[in-house]
Amino acid sequence: MDASNDFLPLMGTDYVEFYVGNAKQAAHFYKTAFGFQSLAYAGPETGVKDRASYVVRQNKLTFIFTTPLRSGNEMADHIYKHGDAVKVLALMVEDATDAWQQTTARGAVSYLNPITIQDEYGQLNMSGICTYGDTVHLFIERKNYKGVFMPGFRKWETNYNPLDTGLLYVDHCVGNVGWNEMNKWVSFYVNTMGFRNILTFDDHDISTEYSALMSKVMSNGNGFVKFPINEPAEGKKKSQIEEYLDYYDGAGCQHIALATNDIVATVTELQNRGIDFLKVPSTYYDDLIERVGEIDEDLVPLKDLGILVDRDEEGYLLQIFTKPVEDRPTLFFEIIQRKGAKSFGKGNFKALFEAIEREQDNRGNL
Ligand code: FE2
């Protein structure tokens, strides 16, 4: 897309906010296990009476963990219904008011009318719209703000600062939506946000002996923001998307792909810190080089760690998926290193989905 025609220019993902049952402990987990650093805090001590929010950062990745301090409000209801979950996929914009006007004029439902918040470090403009399920997009305009994170937050100082794990930025965020709803949300991203559909996977691409799903990858104009949308498809047994929808109680964010420049080092560190990954059978590696051609990495650590490889016309990619990071079989993370490839690992779908089905079967949900 010609950038001058892009009615919603996005500079990337600003942050991801999770509504969780205990933000203090969630932040500790993401610091300890994933290597995020403490950045900012808002809560009763900073004049925010209804919630506590902990902001952590690793390179260009910013996560916020927010918990309500009482019951009977939108945050508490969200957690009761969905469990710990992604609430906000916040996008960096030049003009938050224009982003809201452009999208709501095209039919997006407003979540937050444009507001300006300020403190001694400047002004920050933000606005928001609703997307699938109870998930929202906030538009964040921070060009006139010089503080640590946002007005209302103070710097979070701590003596507990685990080393990072080499995670760099959000590569893509995937949404799971209900039966026959994929195209509705594809149209939403096309019509109200100016995205385009760059890849489509049908149930022939993504099916195993038992279950299936369909997926369309949506990208904004400059390609900085990518949102694949999945829906379940009929199979002999229950689709992994259906399991998600049952336990999440509706549409929501399925996984966030985090980029690294050294997947072997990153995944070694994550495994040492207790993150569990899906494992494919070791036979996956027997003919790997025949399938994907020569790669820079040694096969042995890839096999030991369970890292998958796929190639497209432009290069190759290495990827691995965590198990769900909470007790509900809902949100998980992908770790991805791109070496030219712009695709999503289609060659790994079968091995990967069979690994997911083994987990589903262990939970009694296949
Ligand atoms: Fe992914």
Side-chain angles (χ1 to χ4, degrees):
M1 186 190 293
D2 177 354
S4 61
N5 295 331
D6 190 352
F7 64 81
L8 181 63
L10 301 175
M11 287 126 65
T13 302
D14 195 283
Y15 63 82
V16 179
E17 183 171 15
F18 303 74
Y19 282 177
V20 298
N22 187 333
K24 181 178 282 193
Q25 291 189 3
H28 188 74
F29 170 77
Y30 281 86
K31 287 175 63 179
T32 303
F34 283 91
F36 284 82
Q37 319 295 316
S38 299
L39 181 73
Y41 170 80
E45 301 86 346
T46 68
V48 179
K49 295 300 182 200
D50 64 339
R51 68 187 75 191
S53 294
Y54 295 77
V55 187
V56 297
R57 180 168 285 169
Q58 183 166 185
N59 296 301
K60 289 182 178 165
L61 272 172
T62 307
F63 286 177
I64 308 181
F65 300 96
T66 292
T67 200
L69 298 176
R70 293 172 186 272
S71 57
N73 54 69
E74 182 221 344
M75 292 174 281
D77 294 348
H78 196 277
I79 295 162
Y80 180 75
K81 185 171 186 189
H82 302 301
D84 286 5
V86 172
K87 174 63 182 181
V88 180
L89 297 169
L91 303 167
M92 219 179 286
V93 297
E94 269 294 315
D95 186 335
T97 305
D98 187 60
W100 184 88
Q101 284 169 344
Q102 294 285 350
T103 50
T104 55
R106 289 171 169 82
V109 175
S110 177
Y111 175 72
L112 175 68
N113 287 6
I115 54 165
T116 300
I117 48 178
Q118 54 192 336
D119 63 14
E120 72 244 58
Y121 302 105
Q123 286 190 340
L124 187 141
N125 295 328
M126 60 196 292
S127 62
I129 59 172
C130 299
T131 179
Y132 48 77
D134 291 324
T135 317
V136 302
H137 292 308
L138 291 186
F139 301 118
I140 309 292
E141 172 193 336
R142 50 172 76 254
K143 62 177 181 282
N144 297 317
Y145 191 67
K146 300 279 177 280
V148 64
F149 181 60
M150 264 186 193
F153 286 80
R154 73 178 185 202
K155 190 169 169 34
W156 176 11
E157 308 264 18
T158 169
N159 293 324
Y160 182 61
N161 302 299
L163 291 177
D164 82 44
T165 60
L167 297 171
L168 299 173
Y169 56 86
V170 173
D171 186 275
H172 58 275
C173 292
V174 180
N176 281 346
V177 301
W179 290 96
N180 305 312
E181 291 209 320
M182 178 177 67
N183 286 329
K184 172 184 144 185
W185 289 104
V186 164
S187 301
F188 166 83
Y189 280 105
V190 170
N191 296 331
T192 72
M193 294 183 70
F195 281 44
R196 64 207 159 89
N197 175 210
I198 57 168
L199 276 172
T200 296
F201 306 108
D202 64 21
D203 48 346
H204 300 293
D205 296 318
I206 318 183
S207 74
T208 62
E209 190 187 346
Y210 294 126
S211 67
L213 64 90
M214 294 187 284
S215 187
K216 288 188 176 177
V217 181
M218 307 308 296
S219 172
N220 81 313
N222 60 19
F224 290 177
V225 178
K226 292 185 215 69
F227 293 142
I229 306 292
N230 296 334
E231 75 171 30
E234 283 302 343
K236 276 191 207 161
K237 294 194 176 178
K238 192 179 206 172
S239 168
Q240 52 163 303
I241 308 306
E242 213 181 338
E243 187 198 36
Y244 175 101
L245 296 169
D246 281 357
Y247 283 83
Y248 192 85
D249 199 359
C253 179
Q254 178 210 37
H255 76 265
I256 302 172
L258 308 175
T260 170
N261 281 337
D262 186 347
I263 196 166
V264 170
T266 294
V267 173
T268 299
E269 195 58 38
L270 293 173
Q271 291 195 2
N272 287 342
R273 297 181 190 204
I275 297 296
D276 291 325
F277 290 90
L278 287 175
K279 282 287 167 68
V280 296
S282 63
T283 52
Y284 171 89
Y285 296 91
D286 292 349
D287 57 350
L288 180 67
I289 300 305
E290 284 159 48
R291 276 183 283 129
V292 303
E294 286 303 317
I295 56 173
D296 302 334
E297 293 73 16
D298 286 339
L299 215 49
V300 173
L302 298 184
K303 187 174 173 178
D304 286 348
L305 295 166
I307 292 167
L308 310 176
V309 189
D310 194 29
R311 186 178 285 279
D312 63 21
E313 310 75 46
E314 295 170 277
Y316 67 97
L317 61 83
L318 304 113
Q319 63 185 169
I320 190 169
F321 297 81
T322 73
K323 292 184 182 180
V325 288
E326 53 260 302
D327 294 299
R328 295 195 197 195
T330 53
L331 178 72
F332 59 88
F333 290 92
E334 173 180 354
I335 310 299
I336 185 166
Q337 181 178 7
R338 294 187 179 278
K339 300 194 100 168
K342 296 204 179 79
S343 53
F344 293 82
K346 180 177 168 180
N348 292 324
F349 286 171
K350 191 170 191 307
L352 191 63
F353 294 135
E354 285 171 351
I356 291 174
E357 283 169 11
R358 284 192 292 277
E359 297 290 317
Q360 254 182 286
D361 198 25
N362 285 339
R363 293 188 283 263
N365 292 334
L366 188 63

